[in-house]
Amino acid sequence: MAFPKTCVALVALVLLGTLSTTTPLVLDDSSAVMQTGTPDRVVIDSPLSSVSADEVIVFEAVIYDPVNNVLEGDVHWSASNGSISDDGMFYPWSAGVVEITAEHNGLVATHNVTVEAGVPTSIEITRLTMGVLEPTSLTADVLDGRGNRMPGPATMVWDIDGVYAGLGSPTWTAEELGEVHARVRFNQLEARTAITVTAGAPHAFVFEEPLLVRAGTLQTITPSLVDINGYEMPLSAVGSLAWFAENGSFNAQGEYLATNTGRWLITVSSGNITGSATLQVIP
């Protein structure tokens, strides 16, 4: 049986009215699920990339839910170096890269900040020894209030035994063994110290000649160790000694056992440092 057109239209309106009343409820329910207010992540807000060791800075963290709503909550702060308070106030210590961590209920955010040395508050001479007759650079560091070191600037002024020696890290040569008194100045900072002048780098072994040994006896042979300019230093400046004798023999203690009379070449070495002499064995 066919329905009148007015009846068909009425049914369509009823169906449309039903859809229009149920569809918004579905959308509202979905929105309610997404906006749960459950923390989803922690973000450190606009952090600085570097800071001076003299500064104190405040880090801030934001807690978000899954749909980027900002939530309230406590954040626990920690730093790999330095100290940081519960409210994110960071106090630097040592210069270098420091990792800052913000944590909320297992959610973690990290940020690396570079701590740079602060304003120099003291100066320290770092060159405390030098070899005689060896051109040597004078060196010093400047330190900030937390002990962070920086190479001394080019404007440092040096004097040795009261005589001007140069700027920055000048080269200076000591002419004799002993001590010299160094002073360095930078702005209002000043440091003084005694620099010890020693023999230079080990260069060779030498012997007091003539070396006389009676045949059939055991005798200790002791060389001297000198630098390139002939200044003597302790044998302890090198490692163990290796001996060679053209005739006769050496034991592990460096004692020579003379056998046949005559003039014989002996050699001692330690690494690339060597020395030789002629030893005479007499009856």
Side-chain angles (χ1 to χ4, degrees), residues 50-105:
S50 63
V51 60
S52 165
D54 297 331
E55 297 179 75
V56 176
I57 61 173
V58 177
F59 286 96
E60 295 182 353
V62 182
I63 306 169
Y64 291 98
D65 72 2
V67 291
N68 294 330
N69 290 314
V70 177
L71 305 179
E72 296 293 331
D74 293 330
V75 173
H76 173 70
W77 293 93
S78 61
S80 62
N81 189 278
S83 63
I84 190 166
S85 64
D86 293 339
D87 55 359
M89 186 169 290
F90 175 57
Y91 300 84
W93 291 348
S94 303
V97 178
V98 177
E99 183 180 71
I100 304 296
T101 302
E103 186 270 337
H104 172 76
N105 291 346

Side-chain angles (χ1 to χ4, degrees), residues 205 207 209 211 213 221 242-250 256-257 260-268 274-281:
F205 295 105
F207 297 86
E209 298 189 65
L211 294 174
V213 180
I221 306 297
W243 291 90
F244 167 79
E246 185 181 11
N247 188 274
S249 61
F250 281 94
Y256 175 70
L257 176 60
N260 301 319
T261 59
R263 294 172 62 85
W264 312 111
L265 179 69
I266 62 171
T267 301
V268 62
T274 62
S276 59
T278 299
L279 181 148
Q280 183 171 358
V281 178

Side-chain angles (χ1 to χ4, degrees), residues 199-204 223-228 230-238:
H203 177 69
S224 297
L225 177 64
V226 298
D227 67 9
I228 196 170
Y231 287 94
E232 188 174 351
M233 69 194 74
L235 287 174
S236 58
V238 296

